[in-house]
Amino acid sequence: MMADRNMSLPPLRLVTPGEAPARARDLEWALLMARAQQGDGVAYARLLREITPLLRARALRRLRTRHDAEDGVQDVLLTLHAIRHTYDPARPFVPWLVAIADHRLIDGLRRQMRRSAREAALDDDVEIADEHGRADANVEHPALLRAIDALPEGQRQAIHLLKLREMSLADAARHSGQTIGSLKTATHRAMMTLRAVMQRTKQK
Amino acid sequence: MNETEDLIGRLSHDLPPVRRLMRPVPRALAWLALASVLLGALALTEGLRADLLVRLQGTMFDLEIAGMVLTALGGTLAAFMLSLPDRSRRWLAAPVPGLVLWLASMGAQCASGWVTMAGSDMSQDPVLRCLATLLLASLPLSLSLVLLLRHVRLLAPLPVALSAAASVAAMAALALTLCHAIDASLMILAFNLGTLLVAGSVAAVLARPKNAGALPFRQA
């Protein structure tokens, strides 16, 4: 009987079989979110850490690579952060979270396909331009140069061509033999890594 | 994975409190109340059409008005509901009965030739004045909805935009019908469907989901 019930569950269902623990977990997350809405950063950090595995599993199901999935997870976290005032603690938390995650991950998938299908994706260009000044201003910083050297090959090349030699995306693509889409993705990832590294350097 | 951990750290660091949104139904009703005040003010300044009482005795005209009101109610409720991630997508159907009633009764009036199809009655009410009424009604309504529902740009904006467009188009058409004597002429059909189409298209263009990565958030 129990076995039958378990068999009938969808294979990748993320809630533990048996409704009581899932309900308790939902209630706990709802409380943490309610406290986060009141400005409790500790509760918020705990909530985000606890939901990340669930988001990662959903992202891995939809996006091709581990990197894309991690980008997807971060995108969901940023979205959740931006619209955290729309959560009503009287309602279950997980459906709210999963709905946001699915919207964002499907969008991410669409963006991924658009990026590989055609060249212009303005959002990324704007972001690159925004980061440009900051990267130039810090370019002599030894920690930054070390961090650039430590990047994976593709990302290092993207940063080198686009940020240091200030090539256009089209020129950099011709020069490196990479597609514009993969250059943008590599730059985006590299900038995230560099930002994190520089932040750690500053904190030290 | 470290990047994600960093992000969590940055997001939760120095977290400001946020004001929770009110429930969707009270929000929708509050907006409808404000919209009614606006339409009332518009009717007062523009003046109701001279033959309104006569026209209200016609069943088709009443059905058309009822259709507009129902579309506005359903569209508004749907927009506020759909703007929340965890509400049923079925709310998208809420403006449909009103829309069917509105368009069918308008179509029936056209078909029965109740009023001339050529739009000869336009001479009493120049096109520009009708257009002005439409804009005066729809612009503030649309802008206020965009403001109230702006968070949805990160989720699934199209259903919200379409419901809101139906609601705004219905209210603008209501203002037009109450203030200007241009019933079932081709012109009002063009105006109403035009408003619906324009509102819907603008909504669809504006409704492309945004990249959350480009959002400003507090840096550590």
Side-chain angles (χ1 to χ4, degrees), chain A residues 109-174:
Chain A
L109 198 61
R110 274 196 212 119
R111 271 198 300 275
Q112 201 178 50
M113 284 155 78
R114 265 206 303 272
R115 261 205 299 271
S116 42
R118 45 155 230 246
E119 300 194 343
L122 277 173
D123 288 356
D124 292 273
D125 288 343
V126 169
E127 208 173 340
I128 288 168
D130 282 346
E131 299 296 342
H132 201 96
R134 223 192 294 172
D136 270 354
N138 287 332
V139 84
E140 302 300 343
H141 200 301
L144 180 62
L145 291 176
R146 269 202 306 279
I148 294 176
D149 279 343
L151 289 172
E153 169 64 29
Q155 295 182 16
R156 189 172 59 239
Q157 192 181 30
I159 288 287
H160 187 69
L161 297 177
L162 290 169
K163 303 289 185 189
L164 302 181
R165 290 178 59 181
E166 299 192 335
M167 280 189 181
S168 70
L169 273 168
D171 287 346
R174 259 196 305 279

Side-chain angles (χ1 to χ4, degrees), chain A residues 38-54:
Chain A
Q38 290 160 4
D40 181 342
V42 178
Y44 194 43
R46 195 180 132 199
L47 174 71
L48 296 186
R49 267 182 211 117
E50 286 185 17
I51 61 172
T52 299
L54 187 149

Side-chain angles (χ1 to χ4, degrees), chain A residues 37 49 70 85 88 104, chain B residues 4-5 18 20 23 154:
Chain A
Q37 287 175 326
R49 267 182 211 117
E70 210 54 25
H85 62 292
D88 175 359
R104 292 312 305 185
Chain B
T4 307
E5 185 52 37
V18 285
R20 221 169 269 152
R23 300 261 167 104
L154 293 172

